[in-house]
Amino acid sequence: MKNRECSIPSHLLLTTDNKGSIQQFKFNRNTQDLAMKNGNGGNLQQLFQRLVGVICDVLQRLLFMVLSVGPIPNHIAFIMDGNRRYAKCRKLGPGAGHTAGFSSLIRVLECCYKIGVKYVTVYAFSIDNFKRDPSEVQSIMDLMLEKIDELLKEESIVNSHGIRINFFGNLKLLSEPVRMAAEKAMAATAKNTNVVFSVCVAYTSTNEIVHAVQESCKEKLAQVQVNSNVNGGIRDSFRGYTRLSEEEFSITPGDLERHMYLAECPDPDLLIRTSGETRLSNFLLWQTTFCYLYVLDALWPEISPWWLGWVILHYQRAKPCIAKRKALL
């Protein structure tokens, strides 16, 4: 793994709000002292802060205009990796990295809405993550519960942009308060249509495939029973054994796809993983056959509209090649 530079340049510090705009700009100590001596340090700092914010907003709009010329991915999936490393790197307290990661998620959703992405899917919590320290798992569940409530507030990005929320995975593994909050969020946003935001929690792709196989088998058995009743009894039975036609007992890829957790979403066009790790971590293995994969060295809390724009530019360059290969099958 590459070594990461954790220090922040001493002459400035930039932070952003949930929309990616510049929120604070702190001068170095010499500049602050000079401004204070002139008696108008606060006004100068405020003016400069606003100026930087306006410039960044204009540049973002220009970036989105440039991106709109090329093909925009209909569905972007994210593996949100690096929250714990972000906190450790900056010597922050427990849970601070995941809190910063939520702010990054809101910025990403805002950008996807502006660019015209219809589906956004994030890998929030793997089934394997339950093996972590119980106190860490509990803190993540508490944070999830808190942030779900925030998303349902009237002034939240979900309501202002008409975003529908889905939670996919083995939700039975979640604590009852988190599961009930997830169900409440899905019910409250069911009629929103602008962006479909899917949160994969208590999820692994292998669990999703096993679930699809089990549900397909149940469906086939139910069909056999219906057909037997219609035909007036079980055909070709001998000592309780029923001989079925190949069509009746075989399970097709189409059967599995209908029972996948993400059956209502199209396959991702673009999958982005942060933190420099080059692996899928058991995420959307079935759905990413023709998906463009991009790995960012930035940790998830560090992701910004500029990172996202850069990745989409790479996707637009690769799109014709991916479409050509897909057409050959």
Side-chain angles (χ1 to χ4, degrees):
M1 183 183 298
K2 298 179 181 178
N3 293 327
R4 296 187 51 82
E5 179 60 47
C6 299
S7 61
I8 301 174
S10 60
H11 64 286
L12 61 84
L13 174 63
L14 290 174
T15 61
T16 58
D17 62 13
N18 287 345
K19 297 184 179 179
S21 301
I22 299 298
Q23 190 178 40
Q24 293 183 359
F25 186 93
K26 297 182 181 179
F27 299 102
N28 65 19
R29 184 173 299 175
N30 293 335
T31 307
Q32 287 179 332
D33 291 344
L34 180 61
M36 293 304 295
K37 287 179 181 179
N38 293 334
N40 58 355
N43 293 335
L44 283 175
Q45 183 174 351
Q46 203 171 42
L47 179 63
F48 192 76
Q49 176 181 328
R50 291 178 180 176
L51 178 61
V52 172
V54 170
I55 293 173
C56 286
D57 287 340
V58 171
L59 290 176
Q60 279 186 31
R61 290 192 182 97
L62 290 175
L63 173 63
F64 296 155
M65 289 175 61
V66 170
L67 294 176
S68 65
V69 175
I72 299 297
N74 185 47
H75 184 179
I76 302 181
F78 295 91
I79 299 178
M80 304 185 296
D81 193 19
N83 290 327
R84 292 192 298 173
R85 271 173 280 175
Y86 177 87
K88 184 178 180 180
C89 183
R90 287 158 178 76
K91 298 180 180 180
L92 303 176
H98 291 93
T99 301
F102 179 79
S103 298
S104 293
L105 175 59
I106 297 300
R107 290 197 297 269
V108 166
L109 275 176
E110 179 80 25
C111 291
C112 289
Y113 171 80
K114 290 180 179 179
I115 295 171
V117 178
K118 177 67 176 177
Y119 296 88
V120 177
T121 300
V122 298
Y123 199 6
F125 196 82
S126 166
I127 291 177
D128 297 331
N129 291 149
F130 282 107
K131 300 175 183 177
R132 293 180 179 177
D133 184 86
S135 61
E136 181 184 351
V137 173
Q138 185 59 48
S139 67
I140 294 174
M141 292 296 113
D142 292 341
L143 179 64
M144 192 178 301
L145 184 61
E146 174 189 339
K147 298 308 179 183
I148 291 174
D149 290 337
E150 283 186 22
L151 287 174
L152 294 181
K153 290 182 179 177
E154 188 67 29
E155 68 277 8
S156 73
I157 184 176
V158 169
N159 291 303
S160 62
H161 293 345
I163 297 175
R164 177 154 59 99
I165 303 177
N166 291 323
F167 287 87
F168 293 129
N170 190 352
L171 302 185
K172 296 178 181 179
L173 298 178
L174 299 175
S175 63
E176 185 176 355
V178 176
R179 186 173 62 255
M180 291 179 63
E183 292 172 353
K184 178 182 176 182
M186 289 189 284
T189 62
K191 295 182 179 180
N192 294 346
T193 57
N194 289 339
V195 178
V196 178
F197 174 47
S198 301
V199 181
C200 292
V201 58
Y203 172 94
T204 61
S205 189
T206 50
N207 176 263
E208 179 182 30
I209 293 170
V210 169
H211 166 80
V213 171
Q214 291 172 340
E215 293 300 313
S216 297
C217 290
K218 292 178 183 178
E219 182 182 61
K220 290 294 180 180
L221 288 173
Q223 289 175 356
V224 168
Q225 291 176 353
V226 170
N227 293 338
S228 298
N229 293 333
V230 170
N231 294 331
I234 300 176
R235 302 176 309 239
D236 299 328
S237 60
F238 178 72
R239 293 183 180 177
Y241 172 74
T242 302
R243 194 173 73 188
L244 304 175
S245 68
E246 182 177 351
E247 182 180 352
E248 287 177 312
F249 70 75
S250 61
I251 296 176
T252 66
D255 294 325
L256 295 181
E257 288 174 355
R258 274 202 323 276
H259 294 289
M260 291 287 180
Y261 292 137
L262 278 77
E264 64 182 77
C265 302
D267 290 347
D269 303 294
L270 171 62
L271 191 152
I272 302 172
R273 175 164 190 151
T274 54
S275 82
E277 295 289 341
T278 54
R279 50 193 171 88
L280 291 177
S281 296
N282 212 347
F283 180 55
L284 301 182
L285 302 182
W286 182 276
Q287 297 90 342
T288 50
T289 303
F290 295 103
C291 180
Y292 183 66
L293 308 178
Y294 197 96
V295 177
L296 283 170
D297 287 331
L299 302 176
W300 175 252
E302 298 170 341
I303 197 170
S304 69
W306 312 109
W307 283 112
L308 185 60
W310 177 254
V311 175
I312 291 178
L313 285 173
H314 279 270
Y315 163 81
Q316 291 176 341
R317 291 180 59 188
K319 172 69 174 176
C321 180
I322 296 174
K324 186 181 298 184
R325 292 185 179 182
K326 190 174 182 179
L328 293 176
L329 298 179

